[in-house]
Amino acid sequence: MKLYFAPASPFSRKVRIAAALLGLSVELVPTETINPADPIRQKNPLGKIPTLETDDGDCIFDSAVIAAWLDDQAGGGRIVPRDPKARTRALVLEALADGLADAAVLVIYETRYREPGERSAKWVAHQGEKIERALARLEQAPPALEGEPDIGQIALACALGYLDLRFSGEWRTNHPGLVAWLDDFAQKIPAFAATAA
Ligand SMILES: N[C@@H](CCC(=O)N[C@@H](CS)C(=O)NCC(=O)O)C(=O)O
């Protein structure tokens, strides 16, 4: 199977870590979403990464769907828990972490896709507030890391890693609990360092 990805994409990293934890090998296909000639638009009409192409030629997106599919391929109940309570907890954490990463990506896109005179400080602040609120909520109770991480914890590590990559780790100053949590994650999950951009 092939994973259309980019090294800096937090959602691609999430899928790569999931595959590594599940012992599944994926062929990485570097993708330029900004390039209209890139094949990604044929694989996924949204032109977004990550997109996974199975050996049967089916294309799966987005990262949450890919992660659930990979979990099924590995027997199920590993990174997406079977127990309904644990499953909902993991999926809500995944949604929160992905939303945080979405907001951070939109802030970056404001500079990538808009000329300086077109940029909206109001829009950037709106996204920044989402990031702040998500970090504050997570700082109150970082998710316990026991045994194999679930997809919510993997998504959180990738969202924080993206803030480190694109915003010089500014989030670290006011969130010591999350800093300790990420250190613990990185120490327990070698795929985190192995997938750094
Ligand atoms: N909800 C999606 C988000 C994916 C996403 O936003 N990917 C970005 C790269 S990090 C992308 O493909 N951007 C190109 C575009 O929006 O055209 C997921 O979880 O996979």
Side-chain angles (χ1 to χ4, degrees):
M1 53 193 160
K2 292 180 182 167
L3 182 70
Y4 296 85
F5 90 113
S9 159
F11 307 101
S12 301
R13 190 179 193 184
K14 184 181 138 189
V15 168
R16 293 169 68 198
I17 293 173
L21 283 169
L22 295 168
L24 300 170
S25 83
V26 288
E27 181 191 337
L28 296 174
V29 182
T31 301
E32 287 179 346
T33 57
I34 203 166
N35 175 3
D38 193 285
I40 189 64
R41 286 162 176 71
Q42 273 87 58
K43 306 296 175 184
N44 175 350
L46 303 175
K48 288 193 168 199
I49 50 168
T51 293
L52 185 87
E53 187 171 11
T54 70
D55 293 341
D56 296 333
D58 294 329
C59 287
I60 301 175
F61 45 87
D62 60 3
S63 64
V65 182
I66 299 172
W69 186 85
L70 292 174
D71 193 54
D72 282 341
Q73 296 301 302
R78 299 264 309 271
I79 57 171
V80 181
R82 284 194 211 281
D83 170 69
K85 249 184 149 170
R87 180 186 179 85
T88 301
R89 194 167 48 234
L91 295 182
V92 170
L93 177 59
E94 181 184 22
L96 180 60
D98 282 357
L100 197 169
D102 270 329
V105 166
L106 286 177
V107 170
I108 295 300
Y109 285 2
E110 191 68 9
T111 56
R112 186 174 298 170
Y113 288 93
R114 291 212 167 98
E115 299 307 322
E118 298 173 331
R119 291 176 197 157
S120 165
K122 194 172 173 186
W123 175 248
V124 169
H126 186 66
Q127 300 307 324
E129 285 162 17
K130 290 179 196 289
I131 296 170
E132 284 308 320
R133 288 193 302 269
L135 288 172
R137 169 74 63 88
L138 291 157
E139 176 69 14
Q140 281 168 14
L145 265 181
E146 288 148 7
E148 196 168 54
D150 63 41
I151 191 59
Q153 295 164 336
I154 298 168
L156 176 56
C158 295
L160 296 175
Y162 188 72
L163 295 183
D164 276 337
L165 178 71
R166 294 292 195 217
F167 301 91
S168 321
E170 284 160 21
W171 67 276
R172 290 174 170 266
T173 312
N174 295 325
H175 306 93
L178 280 179
V179 171
W181 182 87
L182 188 60
D183 286 348
D184 191 25
F185 184 95
Q187 192 248 316
K188 287 177 173 154
I189 313 297
F192 185 66
T195 54

